[in-house]
Amino acid sequence: MLERFAGWFERRIKLVRVIRDDFGKPEPLGIGWLHCFGSSLFTLLLVQIVTGILLALNYSPASDHAWESVSYISYTVPFGGFIRGVHHWTASVLVVVLALHVMRVFFWGAYKFPRETTWLIGVCLGLLILGFAFTGYLLPWDQKAYWGTEVGTRIAGSVPLLGPAIHSVMLGGPEMGAATLTRFYGVHTQLFPLLLVALMGLHLFLVRYQGITEHWQLKGDNPRNPFWPNQTARDITLALVTFGVAVVLAIKLGAPLENRADPTATNYVPRPEWYFLCLFQFLRYFEGSLEPVGAIFIPALCVLVVFLIPFLDRGPGRGPFQRKWFSIIGVLVISALIYLTISGAMFSGPVAGVVTKH
Amino acid sequence: MSAEQPPDQITRRGFLNAIIIVFGAVIALVVAVPGIGYLIAPALGRKRPQAEWDAVAEAAQLTPSATPFKAVFTQQVQDAWVTVSVQRTVWITYQGPDRIQVLSGRCTHLGCTVHWDAARGLFACPCHGGLYNDKGQVIGGPPPRPLHRLDAKLEGGKLSVRGDQYA
């Protein structure tokens, strides 16, 4: 019966054959565990979409109810705490896997001809994931959310000339309030998911259409294994492991919910989520009028350079040792990010502050 | 295109291409122009109305001192579609009826709220280490400007303040 049903479609659309042909395509040798990060990201993003929809069913994006609704989800709705925990921790795991994925593509030289477009879309997806993290952070409307967003939006507002306009557009008014929450909610749950699905579809299509970049030392005449089931089995294994980490964290630690946002708190020390700690720490090296340099210009320049990598690195070599400068700079940047994240994390409690002017 | 057709005459195909572009653009623009306006409206927005005077302390309770004290008061604020009561904090230094200083408690760096560090005699911001002296001038850390100073007046037995940047 099922076969007849499937057969009816197959005679018309021939989709199964297309999928079977694609999955049966031989992969280059040298493809292995390092190539599983992308599909883990895909799986984790699907988990975020599903848990996000579930959360939206009980969430109220109004400043006088948001915190209460999140508290209700966390402590009253059956499985609510678990679903919120998974959404919260999957976001963190996503950032780690994203970093690993970017590193693999970078050191593999996989952004080179003909895959520049896949890289560009990938960078957009990476930024989108960080955008999700930033906009989602406000939604619980607790102290952490309120003050983290206050600082985050003011960083965007420190751009010369356009800063104040950007700040009010982000907040939906002169200060944080009801319109800020609906804006962030709309962007987090409507705009960004649409962009995500479109870009992810395009990225995946290109990956399958152009095939995975082969190892720089292996040439095309090597024997090849089909993508299905060899690589697919590795992919789903890593997806399960990364998802498992998020689930364990969700069960053990849950998603934090601090006190309701209090704009008058004078001793609250906002701490960014760990993946923004490097920026937080970096910002501390820039004082006074230099602040937009650390807050906006250098990060924006870094993003621009990341976008342009395929066009800057035009040499024929793909192996990391064949493009020494790029590899060295890559290692330095990664070390700097890790150093900034760790020093940002070590730095605890209120900033003591040092008198420098009299 | 057939050979006998004069080159300056619009072809059927060219006309249809133009229709596709123009009609498509009309649909896109009718959505996009108001849409962008809707989105960036807060930046174009009307100027905020002149701030009202808010009573923050009873004059009778004020005793001259060089030490700033915190005053919390409630303000009715129109927040998009709701009117909400917002708790505001200002720091007052009262050294006599002619020497009143009212400072916003909001750090000019990234908007965290400062507190008075009595031991060191300065305002400290917990977020990024901004420091201000008792006059609100920056003496350390990243803040680009001194603490915002609000208007103050003693009237009807009350100390009232006015300014558009409370914390």
Side-chain angles (χ1 to χ4, degrees):
Chain A
M1 177 67 197
L2 190 69
E3 222 160 90
R4 272 188 62 193
F5 187 68
W8 189 90
F9 283 103
E10 197 49 21
R11 279 191 297 283
R12 287 158 178 83
I13 310 175
K14 302 186 177 58
L15 199 58
V16 174
R17 209 175 67 199
V18 171
I19 294 171
R20 195 175 287 156
D21 284 356
D22 183 72
F23 276 55
K25 255 196 330 202
E27 295 298 338
L29 272 187
I31 302 301
W33 289 103
L34 288 177
H35 295 73
C36 297
F37 299 127
S39 53
S40 287
L41 283 175
F42 177 71
T43 311
L44 295 174
L45 286 167
L46 289 184
V47 168
Q48 290 303 70
I49 291 174
V50 173
T51 50
I53 291 171
L54 292 172
L55 291 173
L57 300 182
N58 277 314
Y59 176 73
S60 164
S63 50
D64 48 354
H65 289 114
W67 185 86
E68 285 77 0
S69 70
V70 174
S71 168
Y72 173 74
I73 291 171
S74 299
Y75 307 118
T76 311
V77 182
F79 301 107
F82 176 73
I83 288 166
R84 190 171 159 248
V86 170
H87 197 74
H88 175 87
W89 286 107
T90 300
S92 277
V93 176
L94 257 170
V95 176
V96 175
V97 182
L98 173 67
L100 294 170
H101 182 61
V102 175
M103 281 195 259
R104 200 282 297 166
V105 173
F106 178 80
F107 289 114
W108 204 266
Y111 49 76
K112 295 206 164 197
F113 179 86
R115 299 184 177 81
E116 297 94 328
T117 320
T118 320
W119 172 265
L120 293 176
I121 296 171
V123 177
C124 292
L125 278 166
L127 293 174
L128 194 56
I129 287 175
L130 295 180
F132 267 115
F134 180 67
T135 48
Y137 200 64
L138 177 67
L139 304 185
W141 203 251
D142 59 355
Q143 283 284 70
K144 190 169 131 160
Y146 184 92
W147 290 104
T149 306
E150 175 73 43
V151 171
T153 51
R154 277 186 194 242
I155 289 176
S158 69
V159 182
L161 297 174
L162 278 178
I166 294 173
H167 189 241
S168 4
V169 168
M170 285 177 90
L171 296 188
E175 56 186 330
M176 265 210 336
T180 316
L181 191 52
T182 46
R183 265 175 191 242
F184 275 54
Y185 179 71
V187 169
H188 187 81
T189 63
Q190 315 285 322
L191 176 65
F192 281 1
L194 274 176
L195 286 176
L196 177 77
V197 170
L199 291 176
M200 207 160 66
L202 214 51
H203 193 76
L204 270 178
F205 169 75
L206 288 174
V207 168
R208 296 306 308 158
Y209 181 67
Q210 297 184 314
I212 297 171
T213 318
E214 56 187 13
H215 193 281
W216 56 91
Q217 287 170 333
L218 302 172
K219 293 290 166 240
D221 50 358
N222 289 293
R224 293 167 160 213
N225 285 319
F227 175 71
W228 180 285
N230 303 38
Q231 183 62 20
T232 323
R234 287 194 200 101
D235 279 347
I236 194 73
T237 308
L238 190 72
L240 178 66
V241 169
T242 50
F243 175 59
V245 171
V247 169
V248 169
L249 288 167
I251 293 171
K252 291 269 177 215
L253 303 176
L257 182 63
E258 297 189 351
N259 289 335
R260 201 175 192 290
D262 174 13
T264 57
T266 52
N267 282 312
Y268 187 77
V269 185
R271 307 275 300 159
E273 202 57 60
W274 70 266
Y275 35 80
F276 289 128
L277 276 175
C278 51
L279 263 180
F280 166 84
Q281 181 68 13
F282 188 63
L283 200 60
R284 295 185 48 225
Y285 303 128
F286 297 86
E287 296 196 348
S289 55
L290 278 179
E291 196 193 295
V293 176
I296 302 285
F297 291 125
I298 294 178
L301 193 68
C302 290
V303 170
L304 185 68
V305 170
V306 170
F307 262 110
L308 293 179
I309 284 174
F311 310 101
L312 298 172
D313 176 15
R314 300 158 69 100
R318 274 206 296 103
F321 299 106
Q322 291 165 290
R323 356 170 235 130
K324 286 202 180 70
W325 280 112
F326 279 88
S327 301
I328 291 170
I329 293 170
V331 170
L332 286 178
V333 169
I334 293 164
S335 314
L337 288 177
I338 293 174
Y339 168 77
L340 287 173
T341 303
I342 292 174
S343 46
M346 306 258 279
F347 177 82
S348 60
V351 180
V354 181
V355 177
T356 52
K357 297 163 218 167
H358 293 277
Chain B
M1 199 186 292
S2 56
E4 62 269 19
Q5 198 152 27
D8 58 341
Q9 199 174 333
I10 295 172
T11 59
R12 177 185 159 78
R13 176 168 287 263
F15 176 72
L16 293 178
N17 281 341
I19 289 272
I20 293 167
I21 292 168
V22 171
F23 286 12
V26 168
I27 296 172
L29 285 176
V30 169
V31 178
V33 173
I36 290 169
Y38 180 91
L39 200 64
I40 66 168
L44 310 171
R46 302 143 285 145
K47 274 217 155 312
R48 271 216 270 177
Q50 173 68 44
E52 305 276 324
W53 287 99
D54 292 297
V56 295
E58 298 288 336
Q61 291 170 350
L62 297 171
T63 46
S65 159
T67 308
F69 69 93
K70 184 164 102 169
V72 178
F73 60 100
T74 307
Q75 202 178 32
Q76 295 297 315
V77 174
Q78 187 64 30
D79 176 13
W81 52 89
V82 282
T83 307
V84 286
S85 300
V86 180
Q87 300 265 302
R88 303 288 195 185
T89 308
V90 289
W91 290 89
I92 301 170
T93 313
Y94 180 82
Q95 291 178 293
D98 305 325
R99 293 177 65 197
I100 309 170
Q101 170 190 271
V102 182
L103 296 173
S104 157
R106 193 151 282 219
C107 182
T108 56
H109 177 222
L110 291 172
C112 299
T113 46
V114 300
H115 59 269
W116 176 250
D117 182 339
R120 292 195 286 169
L122 44 74
F123 289 105
C125 177
C127 294
H128 306 93
L131 297 177
Y132 305 84
N133 66 13
D134 55 355
K135 307 269 186 302
Q137 289 151 339
V138 181
I139 52 170
R145 293 184 307 279
L147 289 175
H148 183 70
R149 214 174 161 143
L150 292 95
D151 300 334
K153 69 172 180 187
L154 271 176
E155 209 175 72
K158 288 190 192 307
L159 173 63
S160 300
V161 302
R162 185 176 71 174
D164 60 359
Q165 205 182 348
Y166 296 98

